[in-house]
Amino acid sequence: MGRGDLTDTEWERLRPFLPVGNGRCGRWRDHRQVIDGILHRVRTGIHWRDLPERFGPWKTVYERHRLWSADGTWERLLQEVQAEADAAGEIDWDIGVDSTVVRAHQHAAGARQPAARAPHVKRGRERGTPGRTAVAEPSRPPGGGGEAGEGLGRSRGGFTTKLHLSAEGRCRPLSLIVTPGQRADCTQLDPVLDKIRVPRTGPGRPRKKPDSLAADKAYSNGPCRDSLRRRGIRHTIPEKTDSQAARQRKGSRGGRPPGFDKQRYKKRNTVERAINKLKQSRAVATRYDKRGYVYLGTVTAAALVIWLRT
Protein backbone atom coordinates (compact mmCIF):
# COMPACT_ATOMS: atom_id res chain seq x y z
CA MET A 1 0.00 0.00 0.00
CA GLY A 2 1.41 3.35 -1.06
CA ARG A 3 1.11 6.72 0.62
CA GLY A 4 -2.47 8.00 0.38
CA ASP A 5 -3.94 4.66 -0.76
CA LEU A 6 -7.08 3.23 0.81
CA THR A 7 -6.47 1.21 3.94
CA ASP A 8 -8.10 -2.20 4.33
CA THR A 9 -10.72 -0.70 6.66
CA GLU A 10 -11.56 2.12 4.24
CA TRP A 11 -11.76 -0.32 1.34
CA GLU A 12 -14.16 -2.60 3.20
CA ARG A 13 -16.44 0.40 3.86
CA LEU A 14 -16.57 1.28 0.15
CA ARG A 15 -16.56 -2.16 -1.45
CA PRO A 16 -20.26 -3.07 -0.89
CA PHE A 17 -21.44 0.07 -2.72
CA LEU A 18 -19.28 -0.12 -5.86
CA PRO A 19 -20.73 -0.97 -9.30
CA VAL A 20 -20.41 -4.64 -10.25
CA GLY A 21 -20.45 -4.36 -14.08
CA ASN A 22 -19.28 -1.90 -16.70
CA GLY A 23 -22.32 -2.13 -19.01
CA ARG A 24 -20.22 -3.50 -21.89
CA CYS A 25 -20.44 -7.26 -21.31
CA GLY A 26 -17.30 -7.18 -19.21
CA ARG A 27 -16.03 -6.58 -15.71
CA TRP A 28 -14.34 -3.60 -14.17
CA ARG A 29 -10.60 -3.59 -13.73
CA ASP A 30 -9.74 -4.02 -10.04
CA HIS A 31 -11.68 -1.27 -8.29
CA ARG A 32 -9.22 -0.80 -5.47
CA GLN A 33 -6.25 -0.31 -7.80
CA VAL A 34 -8.12 2.21 -9.95
CA ILE A 35 -9.57 4.14 -7.00
CA ASP A 36 -6.10 4.40 -5.48
CA GLY A 37 -4.91 5.84 -8.80
CA ILE A 38 -7.75 8.39 -8.85
CA LEU A 39 -7.06 9.44 -5.27
CA HIS A 40 -3.33 9.73 -6.03
CA ARG A 41 -4.09 12.16 -8.85
CA VAL A 42 -6.62 14.09 -6.72
CA ARG A 43 -4.06 14.44 -3.93
CA THR A 44 -1.05 15.38 -6.09
CA GLY A 45 -2.64 17.13 -9.09
CA ILE A 46 -0.31 15.42 -11.60
CA HIS A 47 -1.12 14.76 -15.25
CA TRP A 48 -3.18 11.63 -15.79
CA ARG A 49 -0.45 10.35 -18.14
CA ASP A 50 2.11 10.63 -15.33
CA LEU A 51 0.35 8.21 -12.97
CA PRO A 52 2.75 5.57 -11.56
CA GLU A 53 2.57 2.20 -13.28
CA ARG A 54 1.35 0.46 -10.12
CA PHE A 55 -2.13 1.95 -10.75
CA GLY A 56 -2.45 0.32 -14.17
CA PRO A 57 -3.09 2.05 -17.51
CA TRP A 58 -3.59 5.78 -16.97
CA LYS A 59 -6.43 5.94 -19.48
CA THR A 60 -8.37 3.28 -17.55
CA VAL A 61 -8.03 5.33 -14.37
CA TYR A 62 -9.06 8.55 -16.11
CA GLU A 63 -12.06 6.98 -17.87
CA ARG A 64 -13.27 5.44 -14.61
CA HIS A 65 -13.10 8.84 -12.90
CA ARG A 66 -14.82 10.58 -15.81
CA LEU A 67 -17.59 8.00 -15.96
CA TRP A 68 -18.22 7.98 -12.20
CA SER A 69 -18.28 11.79 -12.21
CA ALA A 70 -20.89 11.73 -14.98
CA ASP A 71 -23.25 9.06 -13.67
CA GLY A 72 -23.26 10.15 -10.02
CA THR A 73 -21.24 7.25 -8.58
CA TRP A 74 -18.92 9.51 -6.56
CA GLU A 75 -21.92 11.35 -5.15
CA ARG A 76 -23.63 8.06 -4.33
CA LEU A 77 -20.56 6.74 -2.51
CA LEU A 78 -20.35 9.95 -0.49
CA GLN A 79 -24.02 9.66 0.46
CA GLU A 80 -23.58 6.04 1.55
CA VAL A 81 -20.69 6.96 3.85
CA GLN A 82 -22.70 9.88 5.22
CA ALA A 83 -25.64 7.53 5.85
CA GLU A 84 -23.44 5.23 7.96
CA ALA A 85 -22.20 8.18 10.00
CA ASP A 86 -25.74 9.50 10.51
CA ALA A 87 -27.00 6.10 11.63
CA ALA A 88 -24.22 6.04 14.23
CA GLY A 89 -25.14 9.56 15.40
CA GLU A 90 -21.80 10.96 14.26
CA ILE A 91 -23.09 13.92 12.22
CA ASP A 92 -23.41 17.34 13.86
CA TRP A 93 -26.35 18.92 12.03
CA ASP A 94 -25.43 22.48 13.04
CA ILE A 95 -24.04 23.26 9.60
CA GLY A 96 -22.18 26.11 7.95
CA VAL A 97 -22.45 27.36 4.37
CA ASP A 98 -19.75 29.20 2.45
CA SER A 99 -17.81 29.26 -0.82
CA THR A 100 -14.22 29.42 -1.97
CA VAL A 101 -12.62 30.61 -5.20
CA VAL A 102 -10.40 28.12 -7.03
CA ARG A 103 -7.89 29.28 -9.59
CA ALA A 104 -8.35 27.48 -12.89
CA HIS A 105 -5.20 26.36 -14.68
CA GLN A 106 -4.89 27.13 -18.39
CA HIS A 107 -5.36 23.40 -19.02
CA ALA A 108 -8.93 23.73 -17.71
CA ALA A 109 -9.89 25.80 -20.78
CA GLY A 110 -10.69 24.49 -24.23
CA ALA A 111 -13.58 22.04 -23.79
CA ARG A 112 -15.13 22.04 -27.27
CA GLN A 113 -17.90 19.46 -27.53
CA PRO A 114 -20.98 19.07 -25.30
CA ALA A 115 -20.66 16.36 -22.65
CA ALA A 116 -22.24 13.11 -23.83
CA ARG A 117 -24.70 11.05 -21.81
CA ALA A 118 -22.84 8.57 -19.65
CA PRO A 119 -23.39 4.88 -20.52
CA HIS A 120 -25.59 2.79 -18.27
CA VAL A 121 -23.81 1.18 -15.32
CA LYS A 122 -25.13 -1.97 -13.69
CA ARG A 123 -25.80 -1.52 -9.98
CA GLY A 124 -26.13 -5.16 -9.03
CA ARG A 125 -29.25 -7.22 -8.46
CA GLU A 126 -32.20 -5.53 -6.84
CA ARG A 127 -32.09 -7.92 -3.91
CA GLY A 128 -28.34 -8.34 -3.87
CA THR A 129 -25.79 -6.66 -1.66
CA PRO A 130 -27.43 -3.77 0.27
CA GLY A 131 -26.39 -0.34 -0.86
CA ARG A 132 -25.66 -1.14 -4.51
CA THR A 133 -28.81 0.50 -5.82
CA ALA A 134 -28.27 4.05 -7.03
CA VAL A 135 -28.91 6.91 -4.61
CA ALA A 136 -28.04 9.73 -6.99
CA GLU A 137 -30.00 9.34 -10.22
CA PRO A 138 -27.69 9.39 -13.27
CA SER A 139 -28.36 12.32 -15.55
CA ARG A 140 -26.80 14.13 -18.47
CA PRO A 141 -23.75 15.97 -17.13
CA PRO A 142 -23.89 19.77 -17.43
CA GLY A 143 -21.46 21.50 -19.74
CA GLY A 144 -20.72 22.21 -23.34
CA GLY A 145 -21.88 25.81 -23.18
CA GLY A 146 -18.49 27.51 -23.14
CA GLU A 147 -16.72 28.71 -20.03
CA ALA A 148 -19.92 29.45 -18.08
CA GLY A 149 -21.38 26.05 -18.94
CA GLU A 150 -18.29 24.35 -17.53
CA GLY A 151 -18.21 26.37 -14.29
CA LEU A 152 -15.43 28.71 -15.43
CA GLY A 153 -15.52 32.47 -15.16
CA ARG A 154 -13.63 35.68 -14.60
CA SER A 155 -13.35 37.24 -11.16
CA ARG A 156 -10.85 39.42 -9.33
CA GLY A 157 -8.65 36.37 -9.06
CA GLY A 158 -8.61 35.92 -12.83
CA PHE A 159 -9.67 32.68 -14.54
CA THR A 160 -11.52 30.96 -11.70
CA THR A 161 -14.13 28.51 -10.52
CA LYS A 162 -16.13 28.91 -7.33
CA LEU A 163 -16.91 25.98 -5.04
CA HIS A 164 -20.02 26.38 -2.87
CA LEU A 165 -20.52 23.92 -0.04
CA SER A 166 -22.19 23.11 3.24
CA ALA A 167 -20.30 21.41 6.06
CA GLU A 168 -21.48 19.71 9.23
CA GLY A 169 -20.15 20.54 12.68
CA ARG A 170 -17.19 18.14 12.40
CA CYS A 171 -15.72 19.93 9.37
CA ARG A 172 -16.92 17.42 6.76
CA PRO A 173 -18.63 18.51 3.51
CA LEU A 174 -22.31 17.65 3.15
CA SER A 175 -23.04 19.08 -0.31
CA LEU A 176 -21.02 20.64 -3.13
CA ILE A 177 -21.82 22.96 -6.07
CA VAL A 178 -19.47 24.27 -8.79
CA THR A 179 -20.13 27.62 -10.51
CA PRO A 180 -18.13 30.25 -12.43
CA GLY A 181 -15.83 32.29 -10.24
CA GLN A 182 -17.85 35.51 -10.38
CA ARG A 183 -21.12 33.93 -9.20
CA ALA A 184 -22.49 35.52 -6.00
CA ASP A 185 -22.68 33.31 -2.92
CA CYS A 186 -26.27 34.22 -2.04
CA THR A 187 -27.59 32.93 -5.37
CA GLN A 188 -26.39 29.40 -4.55
CA LEU A 189 -27.81 29.01 -1.05
CA ASP A 190 -30.90 27.11 -2.21
CA PRO A 191 -28.98 24.77 -4.58
CA VAL A 192 -26.48 23.95 -1.82
CA LEU A 193 -29.28 23.16 0.66
CA ASP A 194 -31.18 21.15 -1.98
CA LYS A 195 -28.16 18.88 -2.47
CA ILE A 196 -28.03 17.88 1.20
CA ARG A 197 -29.40 14.35 1.07
CA VAL A 198 -28.29 11.79 3.66
CA PRO A 199 -30.12 8.45 3.14
CA ARG A 200 -31.35 6.28 5.99
CA THR A 201 -29.75 2.89 6.46
CA GLY A 202 -33.24 1.51 7.16
CA PRO A 203 -36.70 2.65 6.07
CA GLY A 204 -37.47 6.34 5.91
CA ARG A 205 -36.83 9.34 3.75
CA PRO A 206 -33.34 10.83 3.41
CA ARG A 207 -32.56 13.65 5.79
CA LYS A 208 -32.31 17.02 4.07
CA LYS A 209 -32.94 19.56 6.82
CA PRO A 210 -30.18 20.66 9.25
CA ASP A 211 -30.85 21.72 12.83
CA SER A 212 -29.35 25.16 12.29
CA LEU A 213 -27.24 27.09 9.81
CA ALA A 214 -24.51 29.71 10.14
CA ALA A 215 -23.28 31.85 7.25
CA ASP A 216 -21.36 35.08 6.73
CA LYS A 217 -22.60 38.46 5.44
CA ALA A 218 -22.57 37.28 1.83
CA TYR A 219 -25.88 35.55 2.60
CA SER A 220 -27.37 38.49 4.51
CA ASN A 221 -30.28 39.51 2.32
CA GLY A 222 -34.05 39.16 2.28
CA PRO A 223 -34.37 36.27 -0.20
CA CYS A 224 -31.86 34.10 1.70
CA ARG A 225 -33.52 34.73 5.07
CA ASP A 226 -37.00 34.16 3.59
CA SER A 227 -35.88 30.86 2.05
CA LEU A 228 -34.48 29.65 5.36
CA ARG A 229 -37.69 30.62 7.16
CA ARG A 230 -39.79 28.70 4.61
CA ARG A 231 -37.60 25.64 5.17
CA GLY A 232 -37.93 26.02 8.94
CA ILE A 233 -34.16 26.26 9.45
CA ARG A 234 -32.85 28.32 12.37
CA HIS A 235 -30.06 30.51 11.09
CA THR A 236 -27.39 32.90 12.32
CA ILE A 237 -26.29 35.45 9.70
CA PRO A 238 -24.79 38.83 10.64
CA GLU A 239 -26.50 41.92 9.28
CA LYS A 240 -24.59 44.05 6.81
CA THR A 241 -23.60 47.51 8.00
CA ASP A 242 -25.40 49.32 5.19
CA SER A 243 -28.55 47.26 5.73
CA GLN A 244 -28.45 48.04 9.43
CA ALA A 245 -28.03 51.77 8.75
CA ALA A 246 -30.91 51.75 6.24
CA ARG A 247 -33.18 49.99 8.71
CA GLN A 248 -32.33 52.44 11.48
CA ARG A 249 -33.01 55.42 9.23
CA LYS A 250 -36.57 54.19 8.75
CA GLY A 251 -37.17 54.18 12.48
CA SER A 252 -40.13 52.06 13.54
CA ARG A 253 -40.95 51.35 9.88
CA GLY A 254 -37.63 49.59 9.50
CA GLY A 255 -38.77 46.61 11.55
CA ARG A 256 -36.87 44.57 14.08
CA PRO A 257 -33.25 43.57 13.55
CA PRO A 258 -32.73 39.92 12.56
CA GLY A 259 -31.82 37.59 15.39
CA PHE A 260 -28.13 36.87 15.84
CA ASP A 261 -26.54 34.31 18.15
CA LYS A 262 -22.88 35.19 18.76
CA GLN A 263 -22.07 31.82 20.33
CA ARG A 264 -23.61 29.91 17.43
CA TYR A 265 -21.80 32.12 14.91
CA LYS A 266 -18.47 31.15 16.43
CA LYS A 267 -19.01 27.65 15.03
CA ARG A 268 -19.08 28.97 11.46
CA ASN A 269 -15.37 28.23 11.29
CA THR A 270 -16.26 24.58 10.70
CA VAL A 271 -17.06 25.27 7.04
CA GLU A 272 -13.81 27.23 6.66
CA ARG A 273 -11.89 24.26 8.08
CA ALA A 274 -13.74 21.91 5.72
CA ILE A 275 -12.57 24.09 2.81
CA ASN A 276 -9.02 23.90 4.11
CA LYS A 277 -9.25 20.10 4.24
CA LEU A 278 -10.55 19.94 0.66
CA LYS A 279 -7.77 22.20 -0.60
CA GLN A 280 -5.14 19.88 0.85
CA SER A 281 -5.83 18.01 -2.40
CA ARG A 282 -3.91 19.82 -5.11
CA ALA A 283 -6.37 18.91 -7.88
CA VAL A 284 -9.05 20.67 -5.82
CA ALA A 285 -7.00 23.74 -4.86
CA THR A 286 -6.19 24.31 -8.55
CA ARG A 287 -8.62 23.20 -11.22
CA TYR A 288 -7.10 21.25 -14.09
CA ASP A 289 -10.27 19.48 -15.34
CA LYS A 290 -11.85 20.90 -18.48
CA ARG A 291 -15.34 19.60 -17.74
CA GLY A 292 -17.29 21.04 -14.86
CA TYR A 293 -18.82 17.69 -13.91
CA VAL A 294 -15.38 16.05 -13.85
CA TYR A 295 -14.05 18.74 -11.52
CA LEU A 296 -17.11 18.28 -9.29
CA GLY A 297 -16.30 14.56 -9.24
CA THR A 298 -12.73 15.40 -8.23
CA VAL A 299 -13.96 17.52 -5.32
CA THR A 300 -16.49 14.84 -4.32
CA ALA A 301 -13.75 12.19 -4.28
CA ALA A 302 -11.68 14.44 -2.00
CA ALA A 303 -14.71 14.91 0.28
CA LEU A 304 -15.21 11.13 0.35
CA VAL A 305 -11.66 10.67 1.63
CA ILE A 306 -12.29 13.23 4.37
CA TRP A 307 -15.35 11.27 5.54
CA LEU A 308 -13.49 7.96 5.44
CA ARG A 309 -10.53 9.28 7.43
CA THR A 310 -12.26 11.47 10.01
Side-chain angles (χ1 to χ4, degrees):
M1 188 179 72
R3 179 171 178 265
D5 291 353
L6 293 174
T7 64
D8 292 340
T9 302
E10 293 164 358
W11 167 246
E12 288 301 322
R13 291 181 65 186
L14 283 183
R15 186 177 58 82
F17 311 121
L18 295 172
V20 294
N22 61 13
R24 296 189 294 270
C25 300
R27 297 189 63 83
W28 293 104
R29 187 181 181 89
D30 180 33
H31 275 316
R32 186 169 184 176
Q33 181 188 33
V34 174
I35 291 175
D36 285 340
I38 294 171
L39 297 184
H40 180 83
R41 187 264 176 178
V42 171
R43 181 172 58 84
T44 62
I46 63 174
H47 290 275
W48 288 104
R49 293 176 182 268
D50 295 334
L51 279 174
E53 294 182 358
R54 67 187 181 89
F55 299 120
W58 71 267
K59 193 169 184 179
T60 299
V61 181
Y62 165 71
E63 287 296 336
R64 187 80 55 87
H65 178 58
R66 183 195 63 79
L67 177 61
W68 284 6
S69 300
D71 68 7
T73 297
W74 285 124
E75 183 179 357
R76 180 174 61 85
L77 292 175
L78 178 61
Q79 290 175 352
E80 294 288 0
V81 174
Q82 291 173 345
E84 288 184 348
D86 188 42
E90 296 176 354
I91 295 183
D92 183 351
W93 283 97
D94 291 328
I95 72 168
V97 175
D98 206 350
S99 71
T100 182
V101 173
V102 176
R103 187 64 184 266
H105 194 271
Q106 58 186 356
H107 293 169
R112 296 185 181 88
Q113 300 177 358
R117 183 182 296 276
H120 174 71
V121 179
K122 294 181 181 179
R123 300 292 182 186
R125 294 176 300 176
E126 183 177 357
R127 297 184 180 180
T129 305
R132 292 198 179 187
T133 55
V135 175
E137 291 295 331
S139 59
R140 184 183 181 89
E147 289 183 358
E150 299 297 347
L152 294 167
R154 305 284 173 171
S155 66
R156 291 183 179 180
F159 190 43
T160 53
T161 286
K162 184 173 280 191
L163 179 63
H164 307 259
L165 73 156
S166 63
E168 52 96 45
R170 298 185 181 181
C171 309
R172 296 175 294 188
L174 281 174
S175 60
L176 302 158
I177 295 286
V178 170
T179 67
Q182 74 276 9
R183 192 64 55 83
D185 292 0
C186 59
T187 63
Q188 301 304 307
L189 177 62
D190 283 342
V192 168
L193 293 177
D194 289 340
K195 285 202 71 174
I196 297 177
R197 187 178 189 277
V198 179
R200 310 287 186 179
T201 55
R205 297 180 180 180
R207 177 162 183 176
K208 301 181 179 181
K209 179 182 173 182
D211 293 333
S212 67
L213 178 145
D216 59 19
K217 291 183 178 181
Y219 301 89
S220 179
N221 59 30
C224 287
R225 295 183 187 275
D226 292 341
S227 175
L228 291 169
R229 292 190 188 100
R230 286 195 303 270
R231 295 171 183 264
I233 299 175
R234 295 184 296 111
H235 54 277
T236 298
I237 304 175
E239 189 178 18
K240 294 181 179 178
T241 304
D242 55 350
S243 300
Q244 183 178 5
R247 176 177 52 78
Q248 291 175 347
R249 284 196 301 269
K250 294 180 181 179
S252 60
R253 295 182 294 105
R256 298 178 179 178
F260 182 73
D261 185 345
K262 291 184 179 180
Q263 296 301 318
R264 173 64 184 91
Y265 189 68
K266 290 180 180 179
K267 293 181 65 177
R268 195 189 67 83
N269 68 84
T270 55
V271 67
E272 303 284 357
R273 289 153 63 190
I275 291 172
N276 290 339
K277 287 184 177 183
L278 284 172
K279 286 193 169 182
Q280 292 298 313
S281 300
R282 292 175 179 265
V284 175
T286 302
R287 173 175 169 176
Y288 302 101
D289 300 306
K290 294 182 184 295
R291 294 295 184 192
Y293 73 90
V294 176
Y295 178 67
L296 181 59
T298 298
V299 181
T300 306
L304 177 63
V305 172
I306 293 173
W307 279 88
L308 288 173
R309 296 177 179 174
T310 302

